[in-house]
Amino acid sequence: MQLTKEQQAILDGSRGETMSRVMQTLVAYGEAFDAQRMVPVTSEYGHTVISFGLGIMKPVYELYDKILSDGQVSRQPFTADPRPVDVKNVPSNLLQKIVFDVMYSQQKRYEEQVKRFGILSDDAYTCTCYLPQVGNTPKRGDVLSWAESSAVVYANSVLGARCNRNSGMIEMFGSIAGCVPEFGLLTDDGRKADWVVELKTDSLPDAQLFGSAVGMKVLEKVPYIKGLDRFLGTELNDTVCTYLKDFGAATASNGSVGLYHIEHLTPEAVDFGEKLIREGAPVYVVDDAEIRRVKDSYPCIWKDLNARPKLCFMGCPHMSLSQMIDWTKKIDIALEQAGHTKVVIPTVFTAAPGVLKALEETEYANILKRMNIHTSSICPLMFMNNPLCKSMPVITSSNKLRTYSSARFYPEAEILRMITGLSK
């Protein structure tokens, strides 16, 4: 790898042994993928996927202590993934709380570390850092050092930034060193489409199901999607961006997609069109039958398949403000139709602290409270990692949460019916 004089000096120890090892790690990472050089991280803010103080990860926190003791901090302020516990706003019993205390015994220590590293604020914990209420929105062409899969795919696809799917340690090292190896989705060639996906459904498919179908088919490759603009149009407004947020998260978790192109809609597809498609790219047709097949293929690992759900999680990744408002309206109408005033299954809406603050300034915050819906900035996945929560029958509209936990997936229309008690 060809390094600049400054990068070579750091590698040789000009900034101490710790920074030398940080650079050694980044160089080895790049060489594993045949990177020829390092490129500067140009985004205003960074992001870290590690937001949890798991007791079994003490070596990570010891490494962070070593880096901090040597005076090395992030070159850019950053946001972090959601906190793992919120016993105040998320229903949990005494035993579950005790297990949380044991599981996340390093939480206080870790949060002190990220403060020293340079986290943006105490409210900067969310997987949707790119939302306007959070403020970590990269510009097109920005080079990032991120790892959170749902944020990486959104930044690459919707915002036109450039980022590989890194690990939690690599992303922090990139922010500390201010550079990352150039390969994959940081290159023009790496952003070309390996697959063509032709959407031929009769109506707009559930974002989570469509994303799941695409992710499981193309895996880590880049898809170019035709036909979605028939339903979404050609403007990246709040509604469309919310759909793409959930679609992308499903492609990234059910597969390993780091970038997708939507014909006539996402920035690079608008500028370059079919020139983005590699010659000979295979075609994957997604129709209504394929969406049903994908949904029916999901396993359920509940001990009792017919158990009554004890909890519903909405927001993995975190919900947008427009999404929370739309859901509040739909639930309010459905409850009236069902003859209820409150949801019949305990339900939690998760969103970024900044989004929840913005919600409090609207009339919908009180409506949610009236319907007995909880709001939290927790990470639902971290909640479900608790063995006592894992054994609960939890439902969700998130394909990411379904993939990584025991939560059972239902499309949004079914979730609405279930939590309001509305008959079919």
Side-chain angles (χ1 to χ4, degrees):
M1 187 182 292
Q2 299 297 312
L3 302 180
T4 65
K5 289 183 179 179
E6 180 186 4
Q7 291 163 357
Q8 186 64 51
I10 294 172
L11 187 67
D12 292 340
S14 67
R15 289 175 55 188
E17 180 184 4
T18 297
M19 273 306 300
S20 174
R21 292 190 177 188
V22 167
M23 187 62 74
Q24 286 177 45
T25 304
L26 290 171
V27 169
Y29 176 49
E31 289 180 341
F33 291 93
D34 297 322
Q36 300 300 303
R37 62 173 183 164
M38 293 285 189
V39 291
V41 174
T42 60
S43 59
E44 183 176 2
Y45 301 114
H47 184 80
T48 179
V49 71
I50 301 176
S51 62
F52 39 85
L54 279 170
I56 60 173
M57 287 178 56
K58 284 184 181 179
V60 172
Y61 314 127
E62 290 169 359
L63 174 59
Y64 279 2
D65 279 338
K66 171 62 176 172
I67 294 172
L68 288 165
S69 67
D70 287 354
Q72 306 302 332
V73 297
S74 175
R75 290 193 179 190
Q76 49 183 186
F78 60 91
T79 50
D81 261 20
R83 290 181 169 101
V85 179
D86 182 2
V87 296
K88 178 181 178 182
N89 297 303
V90 180
S92 52
N93 61 41
L94 178 60
L95 287 177
Q96 290 169 339
K97 293 174 184 177
I98 292 172
V99 173
F100 279 132
D101 287 341
V102 174
M103 285 181 63
Y104 299 110
S105 61
Q106 300 296 301
Q107 190 67 28
K108 183 178 180 181
R109 175 186 182 184
Y110 176 68
E111 291 195 21
E112 286 298 323
Q113 288 178 327
V114 295
K115 282 182 182 179
R116 294 172 63 193
F117 270 124
I119 192 166
L120 194 58
S121 73
D122 193 49
D123 283 342
Y125 289 86
T126 177
C127 50
T128 53
C129 56
Y130 45 79
L131 293 178
Q133 294 84 6
V134 183
N136 185 359
T137 309
K139 300 185 297 294
R140 183 171 179 181
D142 274 351
V143 174
L144 317 179
S145 183
W146 291 6
E148 162 57 45
S149 62
S150 67
V152 166
V153 71
Y154 188 94
N156 276 320
S157 310
V158 181
L159 302 178
R162 296 197 168 199
C163 186
N164 282 315
R165 284 179 55 123
N166 302 303
S167 73
M169 297 304 296
I170 289 293
E171 70 176 349
M172 182 62 84
F173 285 2
S175 287
I176 292 171
C179 59
V180 287
E182 184 184 45
F183 67 91
L185 299 177
L186 300 190
T187 68
D188 290 342
D189 184 71
R191 297 177 74 84
K192 289 185 177 179
D194 309 288
W195 278 84
V196 174
V197 177
E198 295 183 353
L199 181 64
K200 295 187 177 182
T201 54
D202 291 336
S203 59
L204 178 66
D206 183 283
Q208 303 276 355
L209 285 171
F210 184 32
S212 173
V214 172
M216 289 194 289
K217 187 69 173 182
V218 310
L219 301 178
E220 82 285 1
K221 302 298 184 180
V222 177
Y224 184 94
I225 298 162
K226 298 183 177 183
L228 188 56
D229 59 302
R230 288 187 297 128
F231 306 113
L232 296 184
T234 57
E235 178 188 352
L236 289 172
N237 55 37
D238 284 348
T239 300
V240 170
C241 287
T242 292
Y243 183 95
L244 296 181
K245 167 181 72 73
D246 291 343
F247 166 81
T251 69
S253 57
N254 288 202
S256 300
V257 174
L259 164 68
Y260 58 81
H261 301 293
I262 309 291
E263 191 170 51
H264 305 311
L265 186 57
T266 53
E268 287 161 85
V270 169
D271 286 353
F272 305 112
E274 294 191 6
K275 293 178 182 178
L276 290 169
I277 303 172
R278 296 188 191 278
E279 185 177 353
V283 177
Y284 173 42
V285 176
V286 178
D287 54 17
D288 291 312
E290 178 65 357
I291 292 292
R292 286 193 298 272
R293 183 195 68 80
V294 168
K295 177 180 176 294
D296 291 343
S297 72
Y298 297 155
C300 176
I301 58 175
W302 290 2
K303 186 175 181 179
D304 178 3
L305 299 184
N306 297 312
R308 176 178 173 77
K310 291 186 177 180
L311 186 65
C312 173
F313 266 121
M314 303 288 292
C316 181
H318 276 171
M319 300 173 79
S320 68
L321 180 60
S322 62
Q323 193 172 21
M324 295 189 80
I325 291 173
D326 288 344
W327 266 96
T328 302
K329 292 176 180 177
K330 288 191 292 187
I331 294 172
D332 199 23
I333 293 171
L335 283 174
E336 184 176 358
Q337 293 173 343
H340 299 297
T341 58
K342 298 180 179 180
V343 290
V344 298
I345 297 172
T347 300
V348 180
F349 281 6
T350 65
V355 170
L356 294 180
K357 285 183 179 179
L359 181 71
E360 286 296 325
E361 298 175 2
T362 72
E363 62 185 296
Y364 300 101
N366 286 330
I367 297 175
L368 280 175
K369 293 172 185 174
R370 170 172 57 79
M371 297 187 300
N372 202 30
I373 292 177
H374 304 264
T375 59
S376 173
S377 57
I378 195 178
C379 173
L381 174 57
M382 294 296 103
F383 177 90
M384 293 300 295
N385 276 348
N386 185 322
L388 298 182
C389 300
K390 188 180 298 184
S391 62
M392 290 170 53
V394 176
I395 61 173
T396 183
S397 63
S398 165
N399 236 313
K400 181 174 184 177
L401 187 58
R402 173 199 71 84
T403 303
Y404 295 142
S405 76
S406 61
R408 189 172 186 173
F409 173 84
Y410 289 94
E412 292 187 351
E414 293 184 52
I415 289 285
L416 180 64
R417 177 183 60 79
M418 294 172 73
I419 65 176
T420 60
L422 194 63
S423 59
K424 292 185 179 179

